[in-house]
Amino acid sequence: MTSRLFGAIEAGGTKFICAVGDSSGNISKRVMIPTTTPEETMPKVFDYFKEIQKEIKLASVGIACFGPIEPDPKSLNYGFITTTPKLPWRNYDIVGKVQKALGVPIGFDTDVNGAALGEYRWGAAQGLDTFIYLTVGTGIGGGGMADGKLLHGLMHPEMGHIFVPHDKQKDPFEGVCPYHKDCLEGLATGPSIQKRWKVKSALDLPPDHEAWDLEADYLAYAAANYTLILSPKKIILGGGVMKQQPLFPTIRKKLIAYLAGYINQSLILEKTDQYIVPPGLGQNSGICGAVALAEKAYGE
Amino acid sequence: MTSRLFGAIEAGGTKFICAVGDSSGNISKRVMIPTTTPEETMPKVFDYFKEIQKEIKLASVGIACFGPIEPDPKSLNYGFITTTPKLPWRNYDIVGKVQKALGVPIGFDTDVNGAALGEYRWGAAQGLDTFIYLTVGTGIGGGGMADGKLLHGLMHPEMGHIFVPHDKQKDPFEGVCPYHKDCLEGLATGPSIQKRWKVKSALDLPPDHEAWDLEADYLAYAAANYTLILSPKKIILGGGVMKQQPLFPTIRKKLIAYLAGYINQSLILEKTDQYIVPPGLGQNSGICGAVALAEKAYGE
């Protein structure tokens, strides 16, 4: 018997990644489609999967989607991308459209909750009921689980935008967030690094540049706040900025310093390298997460 | 048939409140016992309940306890008060001792998770699966639920100690937290108000004193971070400092300003008075929470 196969859509703000995956987290037939308008992007997505459906039966399709979205199945707007600043996508019924085009059950959540679920199934969060997945790239987004369930609530977390201490004497940069200026995303996202240090890409800065110590400052404050509010068993840090690997030990050291012994847990104080970790799935958290969302939709 | 009756212990850092409650949240036979040492305080607690057990069958007893505690039934240290700065109580097996003395099932959680559960059963959080309960008094502590389950994770939240922006030009006060100096608790707890403004009690300050605007600043930043990380459907603010009722509208106004439209939810933007609220149970969240913990222990 062959393994059950799932369609996976990692719907990002700049590109859609579509693929096929199985219950072991294996990914195949991956394509990349640029995110322009729904009218242009979505038919390519549909065509890709329709071609696949000619030869393969897809059990379901998962969509790990840029937000904000409406993930509550009880809501009238379930399955919509809602108030995104990407105007063509605002109030777009992505679940409805994909469901209609492909005729299979659809799993749906934020890109970061998807990635969290992927890490839970096959990556760094296996066996953990409470953890956080944060991506630090062109934006900062976070998802995760509490007691085995993906974080939802009123909407879904937007934990990239939390407020952290900003010492303006040390770092007079005003921040790039169009909403909050110097929230975490405003201070620590890739574009903020580019603008503050006047470089084309954050990763152009050498590992010993002071930019990285400052970056670790903000991410350590964020990790401290996540720790204090959700009490996670792991914080997974992914995304382009985190490719600067020396960030990890610096964030761990600063996190311990900021918490100052208040959370007396050996995982945080001694085994910090098991607490603040890169994604187990590397670049694949998101697309594997879409597979996991599909799997969940099929199972339910 | 008479209603089932439960024992309730609200174990606080300065006093234990013991009472009897029922499944409607009615409280009777309340006593207050000062928190000194386990050797002195606990026998009084036992005697109180043993007297009651002579006339009433208690189905179970709930303990809503000052922390940090070990709330995980799978842990070897389940039921202990752990690394509290109150040294006589450090590593005290409160659940074991109460269970042994009274011979009934014991429900156990933090004081603030207890209060959250009380609000969920009979107060302001009825019908809500995801919400936060914060108490602002001599300390700041928070608990709550995500998707219908009390927040636990690695340990339990300690969300009173999160880091928030501290504009030292506007507020040069260095903070009173012995661990973090100017975390939320360091900046916004009752003792910080007393020390900053040199008053005996925060509530001695008139409602139009600038202290309250500053206090609302910090609590609004905290509410913003809780909103962004957990996406709660309500934030309940209790505790002695919140008796300064004009704080509520100011916190709501500042929360909306700080979030700057990013969380586009009418509950936050328009019905903010249903989002940031005082406890439905008034002073009784904690003791009712202990009843609810007992009820839960009996049911499970």
Side-chain angles (χ1 to χ4, degrees):
Chain A
M1 184 194 139
T2 53
S3 166
R4 190 166 285 127
L5 291 170
F6 304 98
I9 304 174
E10 184 184 2
T14 57
K15 60 181 188 289
F16 275 49
I17 296 172
C18 300
V20 173
D22 66 18
S23 288
S24 304
N26 298 312
I27 299 292
S28 60
K29 300 183 186 288
R30 182 190 312 233
V31 295
M32 194 272 279
I33 297 163
T35 308
T36 56
T37 62
E39 292 70 30
E40 199 170 56
T41 301
M42 295 308 294
K44 294 177 187 164
V45 172
F46 301 150
D47 289 350
Y48 162 82
F49 282 111
K50 281 177 180 167
E51 270 311 300
I52 285 174
Q53 282 180 317
K54 286 180 188 166
E55 9 169 337
I56 293 174
K57 182 171 153 40
L58 295 176
S60 54
V61 170
I63 310 173
C65 191
F66 71 89
I69 63 166
E70 178 51 82
D72 180 359
K74 282 174 283 184
S75 164
L76 279 176
N77 292 322
Y78 169 69
F80 281 62
I81 299 171
T82 57
T83 55
T84 173
K86 294 174 212 304
L87 294 181
W89 294 89
R90 191 170 278 197
N91 298 317
Y92 180 70
D93 177 16
I94 189 166
V95 167
K97 299 285 186 182
V98 175
Q99 212 278 328
K100 197 174 161 199
L102 305 179
V104 294
I106 307 293
F108 181 58
D109 214 314
T110 59
D111 42 8
V112 279
N113 263 349
L117 188 64
E119 290 291 323
Y120 176 79
R121 283 288 282 118
W122 304 293
Q126 289 176 66
L128 301 181
D129 54 16
T130 306
F131 67 96
I132 278 174
Y133 173 91
L134 195 79
T135 177
V136 187
T138 51
I140 302 184
M145 280 189 182
D147 210 351
K149 299 217 188 154
L150 290 170
L151 293 171
H152 288 129
L154 179 62
M155 190 174 86
H156 48 71
E158 285 286 352
M159 61 179 88
H161 289 264
I162 63 165
F163 296 94
V164 291
H166 176 199
D167 181 342
K168 288 174 190 166
Q169 294 209 291
K170 188 176 166 190
D171 176 26
F173 183 66
E174 66 171 5
V176 299
C177 175
Y179 291 89
H180 315 114
K181 289 220 164 177
D182 67 346
C183 67
L184 178 67
E185 176 161 312
L187 292 170
T189 195
S192 79
I193 302 175
Q194 292 159 26
K195 195 168 176 194
R196 183 191 285 110
W197 304 104
K198 301 182 178 61
V199 288
K200 265 199 153 168
S201 159
L203 299 177
D204 290 347
L205 295 164
D208 59 352
H209 192 284
E210 59 181 312
W212 298 114
D213 193 77
L214 190 66
E215 179 72 9
D217 258 351
Y218 294 127
L219 293 175
Y221 274 123
N225 280 356
Y226 303 149
T227 298
L228 292 159
I229 293 177
L230 197 72
S231 197
K233 296 176 179 176
K234 193 165 275 188
I235 297 177
I236 303 168
L237 299 177
V241 170
M242 298 309 300
K243 286 184 192 159
Q244 187 59 269
Q245 289 283 333
L247 270 175
F248 280 94
T250 319
I251 292 168
R252 290 178 191 127
K253 208 175 65 186
K254 286 177 187 282
L255 172 65
I256 292 171
Y258 295 160
L259 288 176
Y262 185 70
I263 306 292
N264 194 342
Q265 295 280 327
S266 68
L267 176 62
I268 294 176
L269 294 175
E270 291 145 34
K271 301 176 205 154
T272 327
D273 58 343
Q274 295 166 43
Y275 184 61
I276 302 287
V277 304
L281 300 171
Q283 308 292 306
N284 284 340
S285 312
I287 192 69
C288 286
V291 176
L293 288 171
E295 190 187 49
K296 201 161 160 253
Y298 182 79
E300 279 171 3
Chain B
M1 184 193 139
T2 51
S3 166
R4 190 167 284 126
L5 290 170
F6 304 97
I9 304 173
E10 184 184 3
T14 57
K15 60 182 188 286
F16 275 49
I17 296 171
C18 300
V20 173
D22 66 18
S23 288
S24 306
N26 298 312
I27 299 291
S28 59
K29 300 183 186 288
R30 182 191 311 234
V31 295
M32 194 273 279
I33 296 164
T35 307
T36 57
T37 64
E39 292 70 29
E40 199 171 56
T41 302
M42 294 309 294
K44 294 178 188 163
V45 173
F46 302 150
D47 289 349
Y48 162 83
F49 283 111
K50 281 177 180 169
E51 270 311 299
I52 285 174
Q53 282 180 318
K54 286 181 190 167
E55 10 169 337
I56 294 174
K57 182 171 154 40
L58 294 176
S60 54
V61 170
I63 310 173
C65 191
F66 71 89
I69 63 166
E70 178 51 83
D72 180 0
K74 283 174 284 187
S75 164
L76 280 176
N77 292 323
Y78 168 69
F80 281 63
I81 298 171
T82 58
T83 56
T84 172
K86 294 175 211 305
L87 294 180
W89 294 89
R90 191 171 278 197
N91 298 316
Y92 180 70
D93 177 14
I94 189 165
V95 168
K97 299 286 187 183
V98 175
Q99 212 278 326
K100 197 175 162 200
L102 305 180
V104 293
I106 307 293
F108 182 58
D109 214 314
T110 59
D111 43 8
V112 279
N113 263 349
L117 188 63
E119 290 290 323
Y120 175 78
R121 283 288 282 117
W122 305 294
Q126 290 176 65
L128 300 181
D129 54 15
T130 306
F131 67 95
I132 279 174
Y133 172 90
L134 196 80
T135 176
V136 187
T138 52
I140 302 184
M145 281 189 179
D147 210 351
K149 298 214 190 160
L150 290 169
L151 292 170
H152 289 127
L154 178 62
M155 191 173 85
H156 49 71
E158 285 287 353
M159 63 179 86
H161 289 264
I162 63 166
F163 297 93
V164 290
H166 176 198
D167 181 341
K168 287 173 190 165
Q169 294 209 292
K170 186 176 168 191
D171 176 27
F173 184 66
E174 65 171 5
V176 298
C177 175
Y179 291 89
H180 314 115
K181 289 218 165 178
D182 66 347
C183 68
L184 177 67
E185 175 160 314
L187 291 170
T189 194
S192 79
I193 301 176
Q194 291 159 28
K195 197 169 174 192
R196 184 191 285 110
W197 304 104
K198 300 181 179 62
V199 287
K200 266 198 153 169
S201 160
L203 300 178
D204 290 347
L205 295 164
D208 59 352
H209 192 283
E210 59 181 313
W212 299 114
D213 193 77
L214 189 66
E215 179 73 9
D217 258 350
Y218 294 127
L219 293 174
Y221 273 124
N225 281 356
Y226 303 150
T227 299
L228 292 159
I229 293 178
L230 196 72
S231 197
K233 296 177 179 176
K234 193 165 275 188
I235 298 177
I236 302 168
L237 299 177
V241 170
M242 298 310 299
K243 287 182 193 160
Q244 187 58 267
Q245 289 285 333
L247 270 174
F248 280 93
T250 319
I251 292 168
R252 291 179 190 126
K253 206 175 67 186
K254 286 177 186 281
L255 173 65
I256 292 172
Y258 295 160
L259 290 176
Y262 185 70
I263 307 293
N264 194 342
Q265 295 280 328
S266 68
L267 177 63
I268 295 175
L269 295 175
E270 291 146 34
K271 300 176 205 153
T272 328
D273 59 343
Q274 294 166 43
Y275 184 61
I276 303 285
V277 303
L281 300 170
Q283 307 293 306
N284 284 340
S285 312
I287 192 69
C288 286
V291 176
L293 288 170
E295 188 187 50
K296 200 160 161 255
Y298 182 79
E300 278 170 5

